[in-house]
Amino acid sequence: MSGAPDGTVDLGRGLVLQNPVGLASGTAGYGFEIGRIIDLDRVGALYTKGTTPWPRTGNPPPRVAETDSGMLNSIGLQNPGIDRVVDEYAPAFARMRCAVVVNVAGASLEEYVRCARRIGHTPGIAGIELNISCPNIAHGLDFGSDPGEAARLCAAVRAATDLHLMVKLTPNAVDIGAVAHAVEESGADSVSAVNTYLGMKIDSRSLRPVLPGGTGGLSGPAIRPLALAAVAQVRDAVRIPVVAAGGIVDVESASCFLSLGAVAVQVGTVNFVDPGAALRIAAGLAERHEHARQPAGTPGRSEPCPT
Ligand SMILES: Cc1cc2nc3c(=O)[nH]c(=O)nc-3n(C[C@H](O)[C@H](O)[C@H](O)COP(=O)(O)O)c2cc1C
């Protein structure tokens, strides 16, 4: 694993990002819509929507809610199923310059394994991000909350694929560091942290939850201080690369996660308000990278981390 002088990031087992900034799972679909607005060839990676063995229609609306300080979602893993992603979408992924990492989810160990096997060595798919951290489906957090369960799942998927295996961690676990360590021991090549925080919004008039299922996942700048603490815990627990997410909106907030030892970042909720954010962050980090390689005393090398 390395952050090379040319700005690329080698996460291991063949997954090389052309720059450290990726589009976080679930906030850019499979790249097709956002690819009409921004040049996907310039992002470091596209992490796809969580994909399951069979198509899912997701949860009933409303599925998102704004809060004073962040966004709540309860999409419920709407996706076209792994067969369609492999057969119909991957040929388009193969034409993209950015690495496409398929985010995989399931209701059981067998479902995760089935997805990994189906992906096999599909041209265009550079790695698997194992989503053991979805708060919006029944039992979505079961694997991610318990180090033993996380290890069991990771080992089974590891045995089913030799693609790069990144495990996406939930901050809703009691000890996220213990889960990170467990998946490292079970063959994960990298970890990404964090997924959304379990949250709820109550309508102040009806005094009922806004989201039909009651709870959802909170994301955006609101979670950044929490995510920074979680990423620091994960960084201390593992030796494999850590990819950070949680309220990153600009080059300063991305730099804060990188300063903790994360080697790359994922940009999520901000895509809904500013689809160009990832490209600007990538350009800004490249500029900082250049400055850092210049002799000490070069101005503009550090600003305080925003909170
Ligand atoms: C609408 C929405 C859908 C998401 N879907 C997924 C998903 O399918 N799989 C996953 O691992 N994470 C999913 N996430 C979590 C994000 O990838 C990211 O980890 C989280 O939102 C924190 O980053 P952010 O604050 O920059 O959004 C989703 C987030 C949002 C807002």
Side-chain angles (χ1 to χ4, degrees):
M1 175 269 298
S2 72
D6 63 356
T8 60
V9 181
D10 185 347
L11 292 175
R13 210 185 282 265
L15 179 57
V16 180
L17 313 181
Q18 59 183 352
N19 69 60
V21 185
L23 302 176
S25 175
T27 65
Y30 294 86
F32 304 123
E33 295 82 7
I34 199 168
R36 292 201 285 265
I37 307 172
I38 68 165
D39 183 4
L40 281 183
D41 285 346
R42 287 165 49 215
V43 298
L46 165 68
Y47 300 88
T48 72
K49 176 63 190 167
T51 305
T52 50
W54 295 280
R56 285 177 60 98
T57 51
N59 292 334
R63 308 204 280 195
V64 293
E66 271 188 52
T67 75
D68 294 341
S69 52
M71 170 180 171
L72 270 179
N73 91 81
S74 179
I75 306 296
L77 288 178
Q78 179 186 353
N79 78 92
I82 195 68
D83 289 339
R84 190 149 175 220
V85 171
V86 168
D87 295 335
E88 294 180 28
Y89 297 0
F93 298 159
R95 291 191 292 274
M96 297 176 186
R97 272 192 63 197
C98 68
V100 178
V101 176
V102 173
N103 184 283
V104 159
S108 66
L109 184 146
E110 291 71 27
E111 289 197 6
Y112 283 95
V113 168
R114 187 187 166 98
C115 287
R117 287 222 172 94
R118 185 67 181 82
I119 290 171
H121 287 274
T122 304
I125 299 180
I128 293 175
E129 183 179 42
L130 212 57
N131 176 5
I132 61 168
S133 48
C134 184
N136 299 322
I137 57 167
H139 308 297
L141 295 173
D142 289 1
F143 285 112
S145 307
D146 179 75
E149 283 298 287
R152 196 167 67 87
L153 176 66
C154 185
V157 176
R158 174 75 292 160
T161 181
D162 50 17
L163 275 190
H164 181 100
L165 184 58
M166 180 182 294
V167 179
K168 177 110 173 237
L169 302 172
T170 174
N172 300 303
V174 172
D175 184 350
I176 191 172
V179 179
H181 181 67
V183 298
E184 175 179 45
E185 295 289 298
S186 308
D189 298 304
S190 64
V191 285
S192 48
V194 292
N195 206 319
T196 53
Y197 284 77
L198 198 62
M200 188 183 243
K201 179 176 181 177
I202 299 289
D203 180 272
S204 55
R205 287 198 195 142
S206 67
L207 297 181
R208 297 176 63 83
V210 172
L211 296 174
T215 57
L218 185 67
S219 62
I223 69 170
R224 192 187 310 140
L226 303 167
L228 282 165
V231 167
Q233 264 178 283
V234 170
R235 181 61 284 165
D236 287 348
V238 297
R239 293 177 306 277
I240 51 178
V242 178
V243 176
I248 295 172
V249 296
D250 53 20
V251 70
E252 286 76 25
S253 45
S255 300
C256 295
F257 284 93
L258 297 173
S259 77
L260 289 176
V263 296
V265 294
Q266 300 176 344
V267 172
T269 301
V270 72
N271 294 320
F272 296 115
V273 286
D274 179 9
L279 294 186
R280 275 202 311 282
I281 295 170
L285 289 177
E287 208 172 298
R288 286 187 174 205
H289 192 75
E290 258 321 296
H291 273 137
R293 294 176 63 215
Q294 287 167 8
T298 308
R301 286 182 52 175
S302 67
E303 280 108 43
C305 286
T307 50

